[in-house]
Amino acid sequence: MFHDARFGLARHVTLPGPLRLDGGGELAQVEIAYETYGTLDAAGSNAVLICHALTGDQHVASTHPITGKPGWWARMVGAGQPIDPARHFIICANVLGSCMGSSGPASVDPAMGVPFAMRFPVITIRDMVRAQAMLLDHLGVGICRAVVGGSMGGMQVLQWAATFPERVQAAVVIASAARHSAQNIAFHEVGRQAIMADPNWRGGEYYRMDDPPAAGLAVARMAAHITYLSEAGLTEKFGRRLQARDAKSFGFDADFQVESYLRHQGISFVDRFDANSYLYITRAMDYFDLAEEHGGLLANAFRGTNTRFCIVSFDTDWLYPTSESRSIVHALNAAGAAVSFVELSSPFGHDAFLLDVPELNAVVDGFLKAGEA
Amino acid sequence: MFHDARFGLARHVTLPGPLRLDGGGELAQVEIAYETYGTLDAAGSNAVLICHALTGDQHVASTHPITGKPGWWARMVGAGQPIDPARHFIICANVLGSCMGSSGPASVDPAMGVPFAMRFPVITIRDMVRAQAMLLDHLGVGICRAVVGGSMGGMQVLQWAATFPERVQAAVVIASAARHSAQNIAFHEVGRQAIMADPNWRGGEYYRMDDPPAAGLAVARMAAHITYLSEAGLTEKFGRRLQARDAKSFGFDADFQVESYLRHQGISFVDRFDANSYLYITRAMDYFDLAEEHGGLLANAFRGTNTRFCIVSFDTDWLYPTSESRSIVHALNAAGAAVSFVELSSPFGHDAFLLDVPELNAVVDGFLKAGEA
């Protein structure tokens, strides 16, 4: 446990299991790396759980220990922001399957004394949420004032509301979906195949080598990164502009700025992420289909709920387009749940939930304060 | 020269050069593999040139020699089809840079006696068109009644109309664009990086090895293939349906039908295509910007033209969306050209130009016959 340079507390806990998993297996113990900001009030009523996206982590509002960059959601979480340690006890945990300290394929299998690698069990979004619930129990948090997340974080929020409705007063689901579409699965499969095609992947047994499957993971990241941006945003940011040279090279260097940008995204990603974790987390997302768990009808996931919902989409997000949010809203309406829904306009595509979109902060701030009044 | 099992003539010619290239280099000689269907009439007035797409070939209406599949555009070219050997002399040539018999990186460099590999010069769409013009000269075809193509084929059609306007009576541009967008370039760059990350690529020097960079090329094809389909089309065709198993495997096999389909697309592609050709042709497409060649104004490419244009887009094509076709139409209007434009409705995305869309055949048929009246 160390005190973060800003205001977070970075912690790690090993919780006794077993955690039974949707796939039939179990984890004998569950490691969770997490951060907290603020203080739980005497009534234990001010907890806000933040759920992170595919390649996110627990450093929601603290400097990332590897990249040195600010927390990934410092625009939303911090002093004077909608989620504020002055009034909230904020918790963000690295998801199960990831690589920033929580149990995942890079963790040492206690039974064998070596990293799990591909012996780590395939997990689901619900398994991630169950692990978070164990953490909240450990922290003495019964009910969350809000559970908040974007993208895969939003899937966890929906799963929280479906699995532990009595523990979620308010749910904020941003740029997300209640199931992965065929196109979503297809893009993830390209990424997985890129990793598994890299000879350095070695069936996942690369942890004791010096050469992880960096090239494959970089290609996976590049393909995914395109889906996070809008066509209009890419055109505005890069268009067909060339690199510093004044003319085309008539070669295969990165002539266009967008090529150089993408290569950088791929290369820098491999410094902070584990290829096997990428396989496991994309698989969990592909398996996600909240309706399927509830007899094929999404509304069934929310019947009788007292949770208030806030659903936000972005007009240029083609990864989880507004139509996906609208399906969630229809199901919530059918279930008689309290829901507010807004489609925000932004040029940034899916990535908008991480970027400077003042309307998003206004929406989340207003929704949370309405529940605290 | 051999007679095709159906009605095409598959031919190969080596034309004396030098062919000077946009990149500054030249080819001492140009090999062109092509097919023809029908007979050139006495007036030499009935030639129709078909331009193929990125991974297409000259086998437009004849059985593919490797896959054994029917010609890639047998729906458009053939007896009773809009382009009909009974009234047209139909020519389709493998583009420069490709791997089905025309000069490309797999060709033997006559100066060195070994395959060019990455010593093959980087080429442009205009270079492809110049090579086609050499072929037409060789065949005694001065003027084309029509030049027709979809996707990259449409780019060649536009380039033909801009570079050799007096040789093109009618131009049919389907599901195409006058320049490659940042997003288009980005997807191609992912494919190139996937190939070049494959250790079997060996800087392009794999021709005398038994193990070409198949895994990298398959990943490139998978990523590209997603862009050829619409989200709605993928959902309709596959949705979240599982393979023959009744339940998820909780592993990394292809659980979903869409995964299995994509893997098959990748694996079968490597049997018929050369990885280096994929690099060169995607590069040519990325470099394509017809306005740039004409002082930044697309209309300048067509001033004074007598060519009649037919521009077709598909409503679910997000690779070359209707907005790109509309830009072409605006430029043609500004140049005072005769142009008809239609956006067709189809669930198939970009691939619609290759599939069963009766309206497309009706549009092309009507447009060509209007010019033949």
Side-chain angles (χ1 to χ4, degrees), chain B residues 97-111:
Chain B
S98 189
C99 50
M100 291 298 287
S102 292
S103 294
S107 303
V108 171
D109 177 357

mmCIF file of all heavy atoms in Angstrom, chain B residues 97-111:
data_model
loop_
_atom_site.group_PDB
_atom_site.id
_atom_site.type_symbol
_atom_site.label_atom_id
_atom_site.label_comp_id
_atom_site.label_asym_id
_atom_site.label_seq_id
_atom_site.Cartn_x
_atom_site.Cartn_y
_atom_site.Cartn_z
ATOM 1 N N GLY B 97 1.381 -4.853 -60.120
ATOM 2 C CA GLY B 97 1.599 -5.010 -58.685
ATOM 3 C C GLY B 97 0.933 -6.239 -58.120
ATOM 4 O O GLY B 97 1.228 -6.653 -56.997
ATOM 5 N N SER B 98 0.017 -6.836 -58.877
ATOM 6 C CA SER B 98 -0.725 -7.998 -58.382
ATOM 7 C C SER B 98 0.068 -9.288 -58.607
ATOM 8 O O SER B 98 1.279 -9.229 -58.880
ATOM 9 C CB SER B 98 -2.098 -8.030 -59.056
ATOM 10 O OG SER B 98 -2.916 -9.005 -58.452
ATOM 11 N N CYS B 99 -0.590 -10.401 -58.474
ATOM 12 C CA CYS B 99 0.135 -11.678 -58.405
ATOM 13 C C CYS B 99 -0.493 -12.762 -59.267
ATOM 14 O O CYS B 99 -0.269 -13.945 -59.053
ATOM 15 C CB CYS B 99 0.185 -12.150 -56.957
ATOM 16 S SG CYS B 99 -1.424 -12.126 -56.154
ATOM 17 N N MET B 100 -1.307 -12.356 -60.242
ATOM 18 C CA MET B 100 -1.958 -13.360 -61.077
ATOM 19 C C MET B 100 -1.384 -13.359 -62.489
ATOM 20 O O MET B 100 -2.049 -13.777 -63.436
ATOM 21 C CB MET B 100 -3.468 -13.117 -61.096
ATOM 22 C CG MET B 100 -4.150 -13.404 -59.772
ATOM 23 S SD MET B 100 -4.011 -15.146 -59.239
ATOM 24 C CE MET B 100 -5.154 -15.903 -60.412
ATOM 25 N N GLY B 101 -0.161 -12.881 -62.617
ATOM 26 C CA GLY B 101 0.495 -12.971 -63.920
ATOM 27 C C GLY B 101 1.026 -11.645 -64.439
ATOM 28 O O GLY B 101 1.889 -11.623 -65.309
ATOM 29 N N SER B 102 0.511 -10.539 -63.928
ATOM 30 C CA SER B 102 1.047 -9.239 -64.327
ATOM 31 C C SER B 102 2.270 -8.897 -63.476
ATOM 32 O O SER B 102 2.489 -9.503 -62.419
ATOM 33 C CB SER B 102 -0.032 -8.153 -64.177
ATOM 34 O OG SER B 102 -1.067 -8.361 -65.127
ATOM 35 N N SER B 103 3.051 -7.934 -63.951
ATOM 36 C CA SER B 103 4.272 -7.563 -63.231
ATOM 37 C C SER B 103 3.950 -7.133 -61.813
ATOM 38 O O SER B 103 3.091 -6.277 -61.585
ATOM 39 C CB SER B 103 4.974 -6.398 -63.943
ATOM 40 O OG SER B 103 5.445 -6.792 -65.207
ATOM 41 N N GLY B 104 4.670 -7.722 -60.871
ATOM 42 C CA GLY B 104 4.468 -7.392 -59.464
ATOM 43 C C GLY B 104 5.674 -7.853 -58.688
ATOM 44 O O GLY B 104 6.672 -8.317 -59.269
ATOM 45 N N PRO B 105 5.626 -7.746 -57.378
ATOM 46 C CA PRO B 105 6.791 -8.105 -56.561
ATOM 47 C C PRO B 105 7.199 -9.575 -56.696
ATOM 48 O O PRO B 105 8.365 -9.897 -56.478
ATOM 49 C CB PRO B 105 6.340 -7.761 -55.128
ATOM 50 C CG PRO B 105 4.855 -7.580 -55.204
ATOM 51 C CD PRO B 105 4.540 -7.147 -56.578
ATOM 52 N N ALA B 106 6.265 -10.451 -57.103
ATOM 53 C CA ALA B 106 6.625 -11.863 -57.263
ATOM 54 C C ALA B 106 7.253 -12.135 -58.623
ATOM 55 O O ALA B 106 7.784 -13.221 -58.851
ATOM 56 C CB ALA B 106 5.387 -12.742 -57.073
ATOM 57 N N SER B 107 7.197 -11.161 -59.537
ATOM 58 C CA SER B 107 7.768 -11.357 -60.872
ATOM 59 C C SER B 107 9.289 -11.411 -60.786
ATOM 60 O O SER B 107 9.906 -10.795 -59.906
ATOM 61 C CB SER B 107 7.379 -10.192 -61.793
ATOM 62 O OG SER B 107 5.987 -10.037 -61.864
ATOM 63 N N VAL B 108 9.874 -12.101 -61.732
ATOM 64 C CA VAL B 108 11.335 -12.167 -61.789
ATOM 65 C C VAL B 108 11.859 -10.858 -62.384
ATOM 66 O O VAL B 108 11.429 -10.434 -63.460
ATOM 67 C CB VAL B 108 11.792 -13.373 -62.625
ATOM 68 C CG1 VAL B 108 13.301 -13.311 -62.867
ATOM 69 C CG2 VAL B 108 11.408 -14.660 -61.908
ATOM 70 N N ASP B 109 12.736 -10.235 -61.651
ATOM 71 C CA ASP B 109 13.395 -9.027 -62.131
ATOM 72 C C ASP B 109 14.367 -9.448 -63.235
ATOM 73 O O ASP B 109 15.330 -10.163 -62.965
ATOM 74 C CB ASP B 109 14.151 -8.392 -60.957
ATOM 75 C CG ASP B 109 14.944 -7.156 -61.372
ATOM 76 O OD1 ASP B 109 14.954 -6.830 -62.585
ATOM 77 O OD2 ASP B 109 15.553 -6.531 -60.483
ATOM 78 N N PRO B 110 14.123 -9.034 -64.487
ATOM 79 C CA PRO B 110 14.973 -9.526 -65.575
ATOM 80 C C PRO B 110 16.442 -9.128 -65.390
ATOM 81 O O PRO B 110 17.340 -9.835 -65.850
ATOM 82 C CB PRO B 110 14.371 -8.876 -66.830
ATOM 83 C CG PRO B 110 13.407 -7.855 -66.375
ATOM 84 C CD PRO B 110 13.052 -8.135 -64.953
ATOM 85 N N ALA B 111 16.671 -8.034 -64.678
ATOM 86 C CA ALA B 111 18.059 -7.590 -64.490
ATOM 87 C C ALA B 111 18.815 -8.473 -63.509
ATOM 88 O O ALA B 111 20.042 -8.542 -63.552
ATOM 89 C CB ALA B 111 18.069 -6.136 -64.000
#
